[in-house]
Amino acid sequence: MVAPASSSLVTRIPLFPLQTVLFPGGRLPLRIFEVRYLDMIARCHAAGTPFGVVCLTRGGEVRVPRRPSAGNGSGAPAYAPEAFHMVGTLATIDELDRPQQGLMMVRCTGTQRFKLRTSEQLRHGLWMGEIELLPQDPIVPVPDDLLPAMQALQHLVDNLSARPEGLGDLPLQEPYHWDDCGWLANRWCELLPVSSDIKQRCMVLDNPLLRLELVNDMLERLGIRVPH
């Protein structure tokens, strides 16, 4: 089991390296077909336990075998090495469907950030990590000079909600915490067309006000404003 939010106890969990950054409060749809993750997700779902999402720095989400090294004698496939950031986010499974054998459609929610102490790849390819939970963001009200960031996101939600398909799987679901710097910054980070490295740098910041200030700078550079 993962320790309570107030604890920094080191515990061991399965890891899911992805080419994306999961933020606390974020929504994560997954299409799972690799054997190493099918079993892991099934076990997490049955036990009601989370897994850890970490952003890849090397390698891909799906393992592709390379030709065996000459003379290795085993004939076993070799795989491209994987590496990932040391700070990630716990994911809890909200929905799990099995539309066909060997395929899972999963919807998850990000809960709490963690820092990896150690990681180990098992023989069948699954990563396990010893993690220390990081503190939850304190609730920091949005200051007046950052209100445009809040108003722009409210405007976006209003526009998307008016579409026939609504918000779909976008990470903009209720409950909304408009006057919370951390929540507001996280939602913008998920939506903005910036690299995963930039999103990762924002996610690891412990100060939610500083995170929102950086997001506001990105919004200004991208020219995102509430229409008058």
Side-chain angles (χ1 to χ4, degrees):
M1 294 293 291
V2 172
S6 60
S7 173
S8 61
L9 179 69
V10 174
T11 190
R12 184 174 168 89
I13 63 168
L15 302 175
F16 203 141
L18 295 170
Q19 291 173 327
T20 189
V21 178
L22 178 63
F23 287 80
R27 305 297 178 94
L28 179 67
L30 293 171
R31 183 176 182 270
I32 297 168
F33 53 88
E34 282 194 272
V35 174
R36 59 174 171 166
Y37 295 131
L38 287 170
D39 180 63
M40 181 269 280
I41 292 294
R43 286 187 282 110
C44 287
H45 184 249
T49 55
F51 58 93
V53 173
V54 285
C55 184
L56 285 161
T57 58
R58 183 176 61 179
E61 295 181 348
V62 178
R63 291 206 306 170
V64 178
R66 301 183 299 187
R67 286 185 297 178
S69 301
N72 68 4
S74 68
Y79 296 93
E82 299 168 342
F84 37 80
H85 288 283
M86 299 299 289
V87 176
T89 301
L90 294 179
T92 59
I93 300 170
D94 301 319
E95 299 178 33
L96 187 152
D97 295 316
R98 294 180 173 90
Q100 64 188 56
Q101 186 174 1
L103 177 65
M104 288 181 179
M105 305 300 290
V106 180
R107 285 184 172 84
C108 308
T109 298
T111 59
Q112 189 169 357
R113 298 177 307 145
F114 62 82
K115 182 177 182 179
L116 274 172
R117 292 293 192 89
T118 64
S119 61
E120 172 192 12
Q121 190 171 29
L122 306 182
R123 289 187 61 183
H124 63 293
L126 181 68
W127 286 94
M128 299 293 295
E130 288 191 344
I131 66 164
E132 179 180 352
L133 294 175
L134 298 176
Q136 298 278 19
D137 280 345
I139 297 176
V140 178
V142 177
D144 289 346
D145 62 317
L146 297 179
L147 286 177
M150 179 184 73
Q151 294 161 351
L153 190 60
Q154 288 174 326
H155 181 77
L156 177 61
V157 168
D158 289 343
N159 283 348
L160 293 176
S161 299
R163 302 185 309 176
E165 64 272 28
L167 295 173
D169 280 330
L170 288 174
L172 291 171
Q173 313 294 328
E174 297 185 62
Y176 302 131
H177 304 285
W178 299 118
D179 197 32
D180 179 352
C181 283
W183 183 90
L184 186 61
N186 290 350
R187 302 294 76 79
W188 268 125
C189 285
E190 292 160 343
L191 294 168
L192 287 174
V194 296
S195 70
S196 59
D197 284 342
I198 292 176
K199 295 185 180 190
Q200 178 73 21
R201 288 201 292 270
C202 289
M203 190 268 283
V204 301
L205 288 172
D206 291 327
N207 186 330
L209 177 58
L210 176 58
R211 196 182 313 145
L212 185 57
E213 288 173 344
L214 293 177
V215 165
N216 192 62
D217 289 342
M218 287 187 277
L219 292 173
E220 290 181 351
R221 289 197 298 271
L222 292 168
I224 297 176
R225 297 283 192 280
V226 179
H228 295 292

